[in-house]
């Protein structure tokens, strides 16, 4: 079981990292648009929240796997 957790951690790590980088960059841009152009901000809001949901769906299981793997040591 320990090896399955380690394998999942290694496999999902790059995906987790990539989605979090995309989310962070998008979040910075998205929040800056509220002051610059409110129309773009409103138009992009559904896409931003879809990205937040995708990030949540990927992050929670990955962080749970990391927590379980650290308990195995």
């Amino acid at each position: 079981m320990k090896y399955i957790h380690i394998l999942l951690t290694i496999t999902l790590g790059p995906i987790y990292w990539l989605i979090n980088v995309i989310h962070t960059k998008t979040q910075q841009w998205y929040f800056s648009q509220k002051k610059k152009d409110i129309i773009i901000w409103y138009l992009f809001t559904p896409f931003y929240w879809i990205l937040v949901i995708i990030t949540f769906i990927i992050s929670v299981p990955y962080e749970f796997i990391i927590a379980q793997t650290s308990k195995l040591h």
Side-chain angles (χ1 to χ4, degrees):
M1 191 65 161
K2 176 181 174 181
Y3 297 112
I4 293 172
H5 283 277
I6 292 171
L7 181 63
L8 284 173
T9 303
I10 292 170
T11 305
L12 295 176
I15 297 168
Y16 172 80
W17 176 79
L18 179 64
I19 197 70
N20 277 320
V21 168
I22 291 170
H23 178 257
T24 303
K25 298 290 183 185
T26 305
Q27 185 178 39
Q28 291 172 352
W29 176 82
Y30 173 70
F31 287 132
S32 71
Q33 289 303 308
K34 189 169 185 178
K35 295 177 184 174
K36 293 179 184 175
D37 190 356
I38 195 74
I39 295 171
I40 295 293
W41 187 78
Y42 278 118
L43 290 174
F44 192 73
T45 297
F47 300 109
Y48 173 73
W49 282 106
I50 289 170
L51 181 62
V52 168
I53 291 168
I54 291 169
T55 304
F56 180 78
I57 289 170
I58 292 172
S59 296
V60 170
Y62 181 73
E63 291 173 6
F64 179 76
I65 290 170
I66 288 176
Q68 293 299 319
T69 304
S70 66
K71 287 181 184 179
L72 295 175
H73 290 265

